[in-house]
Amino acid sequence: MKLCVVVTKIPMQEYNDFVPIEIQIYIAKSKKEEEEEQIQISRRRERNRYGRHLEMRYQIQQFPSHRARSALAAMANDREVLREVWEGKIPVCFQLNPDEVYALQAPDPFYLMVPRLSYFPICTDKVRKHFMRYVQQETQDKQETEMWLEFNGTPLKWHIPIGVLMDLYHNDIQLPWNIVVHFDKFPDSILMRCQNKEIVESYFLSCIKEADVLKHRGQVVSSMQKKDHNQLWLGLLNDKFDQFWAVNRKLMETASDDGFKHIPFKFYTSEDKFIQKLVKPLNEDGQRKTLKHLLTEVFPNQEKVVVRTHGILIPDDTPLQWLSEHLSYPDNFLHLVFVTT
């Protein structure tokens, strides 16, 4: 940090041969301070990313006028909401497990902004490359050596989207999220192995097919070509919103006002347990169900359940169909986390 003084002449009429000047004094920040400031900005964005969109929707729902209903219908394909969800990022600080360091000096932490909608194995290549040269040579020479991640002593499941893991451990996380990197003692009893990105691709596409069976009886995915499947995967892999949604929009289309046949969702009570049920977007009277209806069906014996997804708490009166169309992860599932109060 250093003190800077800027002297600027102000163009104005002279008085007795005196020209006023303006003196500005400010503090120049170091590179490290600028990085810390960016992290704080990311934290504020993470907390407030979707608030204005949701607030607008719920305000519109309060007015029964035809104009308000038309406005709500017009927002059904609100591309801005989809893009805001897509662009959600989490600052992460990766550190190598001290017990695995075989170099004379421990490596510096590796900072990375990771997409909420992605999976750790497809966005941590640079992390692996950064730490691999600091571990035992024997470990470096093994092609099958697999990197795995840990938070607070718990191995992180790679097949759960990063944003969902963030929501599950929300109360214990301070940004940047501190994650420990391992190359040794893989916990086979806890984690599935993932030695390449093709395994992630296979799992991701199987989830999309499962979601489409729930929404359209599998008719949309079955009508797609191989290139469409590839485009979905490459859009996620390369973090390309337009590339992904050019195909994914077909999976979000409905043939009528009834919405999807069922709402694909996974309701997490912990990282090890989630609940799935067949839930329609409409009730028997043809009225649209809300999140409150879903909570009643999933937790019939609990009066008050709070739900988090994408880092925000979802109001009970949010329509299920809208939630599924706008807040689903790329695998086309809603990933809802039970919040303990």
Side-chain angles (χ1 to χ4, degrees):
M1 179 182 294
K2 60 182 179 180
L3 186 66
C4 297
V5 179
V6 177
V7 180
T8 307
K9 290 186 177 181
I10 301 178
M12 60 189 302
Q13 184 178 2
E14 295 185 6
Y15 293 93
N16 300 324
D17 298 327
F18 172 74
V19 180
I21 60 174
E22 178 183 33
I23 299 178
Q24 298 178 342
I25 300 177
Y26 66 94
I27 303 299
K29 298 177 181 178
S30 66
K31 183 177 180 181
K32 182 178 180 180
E33 290 171 325
E34 290 178 350
E35 292 176 350
E36 292 177 350
E37 183 178 5
Q38 287 301 314
I39 290 174
Q40 293 301 320
I41 293 174
S42 298
R43 295 181 66 178
R44 290 195 293 270
R45 288 176 178 172
E46 185 66 33
R47 290 193 295 265
N48 303 315
R49 179 168 294 276
Y50 317 113
R52 61 191 181 93
H53 300 295
L54 293 175
E55 181 180 359
M56 186 185 301
R57 284 186 173 275
Y58 306 131
Q59 286 178 349
I60 288 177
Q61 288 179 340
Q62 302 303 316
F63 300 97
S65 67
H66 173 73
R67 182 177 181 181
R69 290 195 299 271
S70 299
L72 183 60
M75 294 174 69
N77 296 316
D78 190 345
R79 193 173 179 84
E80 186 179 358
V81 174
L82 299 177
R83 187 176 289 277
E84 287 282 351
V85 172
W86 184 275
E87 292 179 352
K89 299 290 191 298
I90 301 171
V92 180
C93 172
F94 295 93
Q95 300 184 66
L96 181 62
N97 177 26
D99 294 338
E100 298 181 37
V101 177
Y102 274 77
L104 294 176
Q105 185 177 357
D108 293 330
F110 192 91
Y111 292 86
L112 190 66
M113 294 291 290
V114 297
R116 265 188 164 272
L117 302 185
S118 189
Y119 303 86
F120 273 124
I122 65 177
C123 62
T124 51
D125 285 345
K126 293 181 179 179
V127 177
R128 178 186 177 89
K129 184 177 180 180
H130 175 72
F131 290 121
M132 179 61 87
R133 63 181 182 271
Y134 291 93
V135 301
Q136 193 173 16
Q137 187 63 45
E138 182 182 352
T139 303
Q140 297 182 38
D141 296 338
K142 290 181 180 179
Q143 293 184 352
E144 67 273 14
T145 296
E146 187 171 340
M147 184 179 78
W148 58 280
L149 306 175
E150 170 207 327
F151 172 67
N152 272 7
T154 303
L156 296 176
K157 293 180 169 59
W158 65 262
H159 62 282
I160 298 180
I162 297 172
V164 182
L165 291 171
M166 177 80 174
D167 290 339
L168 282 165
Y169 296 111
H170 178 84
N171 294 334
D172 301 320
I173 294 176
Q174 290 185 344
L175 298 180
W177 186 6
N178 289 293
I179 291 178
V180 178
V181 176
H182 293 268
F183 293 95
D184 194 18
K185 299 179 181 179
F186 189 90
D188 288 287
S189 61
I190 301 176
L191 300 181
M192 296 188 298
R193 286 195 172 270
C194 180
Q195 296 181 346
N196 53 59
K197 295 178 182 178
E198 286 72 21
I199 294 176
V200 184
E201 178 184 6
S202 177
Y203 173 78
F204 169 67
L205 292 177
S206 69
C207 289
I208 285 184
K209 292 175 183 178
E210 180 185 352
D212 190 53
V213 169
L214 293 170
K215 292 193 292 186
H216 308 109
R217 297 190 176 91
Q219 296 174 356
V220 177
V221 168
S222 61
S223 66
M224 288 182 174
Q225 300 180 10
K226 177 64 175 177
K227 65 177 183 180
D228 295 323
H229 297 169
N230 289 339
Q231 186 166 335
L232 285 170
W233 166 244
L234 291 175
L236 175 66
L237 179 65
N238 300 318
D239 195 21
K240 301 294 185 182
F241 173 83
D242 293 323
Q243 182 181 19
F244 178 83
W245 273 98
V247 176
N248 196 61
R249 61 178 178 80
K250 302 175 185 178
L251 296 166
M252 292 297 175
E253 292 174 349
T254 57
S256 66
D257 293 337
D258 294 342
F260 301 140
K261 180 174 175 59
H262 297 99
I263 300 294
F265 73 91
K266 296 180 180 180
F267 211 122
Y268 296 80
T269 54
S270 69
E271 186 184 0
D272 299 320
K273 183 180 179 181
F274 62 82
I275 300 171
Q276 287 183 273
K277 294 185 68 174
L278 290 178
V279 175
K280 296 180 178 292
L282 302 181
N283 59 26
E284 296 179 355
D285 297 329
Q287 301 296 316
R288 288 186 178 271
K289 288 184 181 179
T290 64
L291 178 61
K292 186 175 183 179
H293 294 102
L294 174 65
L295 298 178
T296 301
E297 295 185 37
V298 177
F299 302 101
N301 298 322
Q302 292 188 249
E303 294 184 1
K304 182 62 176 178
V305 177
V306 181
V307 179
R308 176 180 285 112
T309 188
H310 300 289
I312 58 175
L313 302 180
I314 306 300
D316 288 350
D317 59 352
T318 310
L320 276 183
Q321 181 68 31
W322 183 88
L323 271 178
S324 186
E325 291 177 3
H326 294 85
L327 296 187
S328 288
Y329 276 73
D331 63 2
N332 277 237
F333 275 86
L334 280 171
H335 292 266
L336 308 172
V337 175
F338 177 89
V339 177
T340 57
T341 56

